[in-house]
Amino acid sequence: MHFQKLEFSLFNMKKIYTLLAAFSLLTLSGCSVYNFTGTGKIDAKTFQVGFFQNQADLIEPGIDRTFTLALQDLIQNQTNLSLVSNGGDLKYEGEITSYRITPMTATADQRAAQNRLTIRVNVRFTNKNKEADDFERNFEFYYDYSATTQLVGSALNTAIDEIFERITQDIFNESLAKW
């Protein structure tokens, strides 16, 4: 009698495990189009990022290279696409069109209390496999800082990194995440 109870409970356990496994398989198979970066299924295997030349009136040396590398790194880190130098399924190209510093707030004696660095980038995105996704668009972001701060060295690097982080994420969302 005791042996029958043990056999019966083992049989029920196997049934429960089988049902759980089937349920898990069905549930997880529905997630195959989504990944943790928010992109859906990407109809591409490769991408290329052209050099984003600085064509702004105010030239800050090196930001063109910094931006180009930031965009490449973001796409590589958030997708399984391979970076190629030519002939990519997805192509990002454009230029930095604006780099400007403007006063934002003033003190009582009419001096700037806060300044804003704004960078604008024009992007042309081409998807060889789905022309409906192609676009040309400007992306812009800013960094506010105290007027008493000199925007040089590490302060400038911090500002540019923050601006480019936002702009590259916006480009990624527009081209791949469709947000």
Side-chain angles (χ1 to χ4, degrees), residues 2-56:
H2 182 56
F3 181 69
Q4 273 185 323
K5 278 186 176 177
L6 182 61
E7 188 178 309
F8 179 72
S9 65
L10 284 176
F11 179 72
N12 282 339
M13 292 295 282
K14 284 182 181 178
K15 274 179 137 178
I16 290 171
Y17 285 132
T18 304
L19 286 172
L20 281 174
F23 179 74
S24 297
L25 185 62
L26 288 173
T27 302
L28 293 175
S29 69
C31 297
S32 66
V33 174
Y34 182 80
N35 65 41
F36 292 110
T37 62
T39 63
K41 185 175 185 304
I42 300 173
D43 266 353
K45 291 184 173 36
T46 61
F47 76 99
Q48 74 182 72
V49 176
F51 186 73
F52 278 75
Q53 199 165 31
N54 188 356
Q55 296 181 351

Side-chain angles (χ1 to χ4, degrees), residues 104-168:
M104 295 306 297
T105 57
T107 61
D109 60 349
Q110 299 299 315
R111 292 185 181 195
Q114 189 175 36
N115 289 327
R116 174 174 284 180
L117 169 62
T118 306
I119 299 176
R120 179 183 299 140
V121 180
N122 183 53
V123 177
R124 289 177 296 283
F125 171 74
T126 308
N127 182 340
K128 261 195 217 178
N129 302 324
K130 193 173 179 186
E131 288 181 21
D133 289 350
D134 295 358
F135 66 82
E136 180 170 0
R137 183 172 161 219
N138 286 307
F139 295 87
E140 178 178 287
F141 200 65
Y142 60 88
Y143 179 84
D144 291 336
Y145 62 98
S146 170
T148 60
T149 302
Q150 289 291 320
L151 203 54
V152 294
S154 65
L156 178 61
N157 291 338
T158 299
I160 289 173
D161 288 347
E162 190 172 307
I163 291 170
F164 285 169
E165 181 180 332
R166 177 63 179 268
I167 291 175
T168 56

